[in-house]
Amino acid sequence: RALLYFNLVRAYGDVPIRKDETTSLDVDWEREPSADAYALIIDDLEQAKNVLPETYGPENAGRATRGAAQALLAKAYITMAGEPLNDAAKWELAVQELEEIVNAGNYALFENYEDVFSVANQNGAEHIFSIQFKKGGFNEGSLYNTFWSPRGNGGLTPLGGLEDIMAVPAFFESFSDEDQRKPVTFLTEYVNPTSGDTVQYPSSALSVPACWKYFDPNGTGWRDNDNNWLLLRYADVLLMYAEARNEANSGPDEAAFNAINEVRA
């Protein structure tokens, strides 16, 4: 509930707030102040962080942990510190939550950027909270292969790709060729399995780069891939920690520099 209201209030501002089960379609709900929505979010996450475990065994991988609640709580505090609430006191509260996550030592960055998105590494050391997907022939897996890959790719992905979500060329071109994230994030060349032709960007078959980091090489259907959707990563925590310390202290300190430099390295 906290996560969904957080999405709603950021998108729409004032929203209807429902705390109890809806048992009738005869409703007349008014939008309520965004501050009230944030109060509900904070209360839910404060309760959650006090009852959720720090870790789970493999049989419960993917369930929300104390760290997940704290990371989302910190993100909510940071958002409240900006427009439209401008509650500057929330910067320090964010620092406290993020510092606890960092000091707990339950998370770490992957050595290689590519490993963050690999299906084989899902629910790994850097993943704090992800929406879970599992293929298996029931069309209950993820749709990323289909939506994020180029149209008419000859079977490279299920259904040949729908090209619904592609990279903006200007964004792609803003990456240096030496940036290790570039070949992981974008697809600019592939061999069409049907024709054997090599397709390169820019061309009519690949007019814009594809977002390739969400590709599951072992996907079995257009709605049957294993990719989880990453909502909170340890890199997010470190970057939020650096930002929150900078704002709370009216400037960066050693801990803020260390946090951002760990991600950059």
Side-chain angles (χ1 to χ4, degrees):
R1 184 169 71 178
L3 172 62
L4 295 178
Y5 265 110
F6 187 49
N7 290 338
L8 285 169
V9 74
R10 286 183 297 163
Y12 300 107
D14 299 347
V15 293
I17 297 174
R18 307 302 301 165
K19 299 181 181 180
D20 302 310
E21 179 184 6
T22 301
T23 58
S24 170
L25 294 180
D26 183 20
V27 296
D28 184 17
W29 298 339
E30 298 291 332
R31 294 172 70 173
E32 300 182 40
S34 60
D36 293 346
Y38 278 110
L40 173 64
I41 292 164
I42 300 306
D43 185 59
D44 277 357
L45 292 172
E46 284 284 356
Q47 291 187 56
K49 78 174 189 180
N50 290 326
V51 296
L52 288 170
E54 292 201 5
T55 59
Y56 287 101
E59 70 280 3
N60 284 301
R63 293 186 181 277
T65 59
R66 174 179 170 84
Q70 287 186 290
L72 185 58
L73 179 58
K75 194 169 185 177
Y77 281 145
I78 287 173
T79 307
M80 295 172 74
E83 296 287 350
L85 300 183
N86 294 309
D87 186 352
K90 294 297 189 290
W91 287 116
E92 182 56 42
L93 295 178
V95 168
Q96 294 172 19
E97 299 298 333
L98 295 163
E99 198 161 67
E100 278 194 38
I101 299 172
V102 172
N103 291 338
N106 292 322
Y107 306 101
L109 299 178
F110 287 114
E111 288 295 320
N112 299 309
Y113 178 69
E114 185 175 11
D115 291 342
V116 175
F117 308 98
S118 168
V119 171
N121 293 324
Q122 293 190 144
N123 302 313
E126 187 170 335
H127 302 137
I128 295 178
F129 190 64
S130 308
I131 303 299
Q132 304 290 304
F133 287 101
K134 183 67 176 175
K135 68 182 180 185
F138 299 101
N139 277 335
E140 292 184 349
S142 72
L143 303 95
Y144 304 133
N145 277 8
T146 303
F147 285 131
W148 296 77
S149 55
R151 190 182 301 272
N153 59 44
L156 184 68
T157 57
L159 287 189
L162 294 181
E163 208 168 281
D164 281 1
I165 309 171
M166 303 289 279
V168 176
F171 178 63
F172 164 74
E173 289 158 9
S174 72
F175 283 71
S176 163
D177 288 339
E178 284 71 46
D179 194 322
Q180 296 179 31
R181 298 170 298 174
K182 193 171 186 178
V184 174
T185 303
F186 306 103
L187 176 72
T188 57
E189 180 179 319
Y190 67 91
V191 176
N192 185 306
T194 301
S195 66
D197 295 336
T198 298
V199 178
Q200 292 181 310
Y201 163 79
S203 68
S204 59
L206 193 60
S207 58
V208 293
C211 300
W212 203 236
K213 62 186 179 182
Y214 298 116
F215 177 65
D216 176 6
N218 298 308
T220 56
W222 80 281
R223 289 190 302 182
D224 212 21
N225 306 294
D226 260 346
N227 322 57
N228 289 344
W229 183 254
L230 308 178
L231 285 181
L232 293 165
R233 292 161 43 195
Y234 188 55
D236 299 329
V237 163
L238 291 172
L239 293 174
M240 287 193 293
Y241 184 49
E243 179 184 6
R245 287 194 70 93
N246 181 75
E247 295 298 325
N249 300 323
S250 299
D253 58 12
E254 184 177 5
F257 280 124
N258 289 342
I260 195 170
N261 285 333
E262 186 175 346
V263 177
R264 295 188 68 186

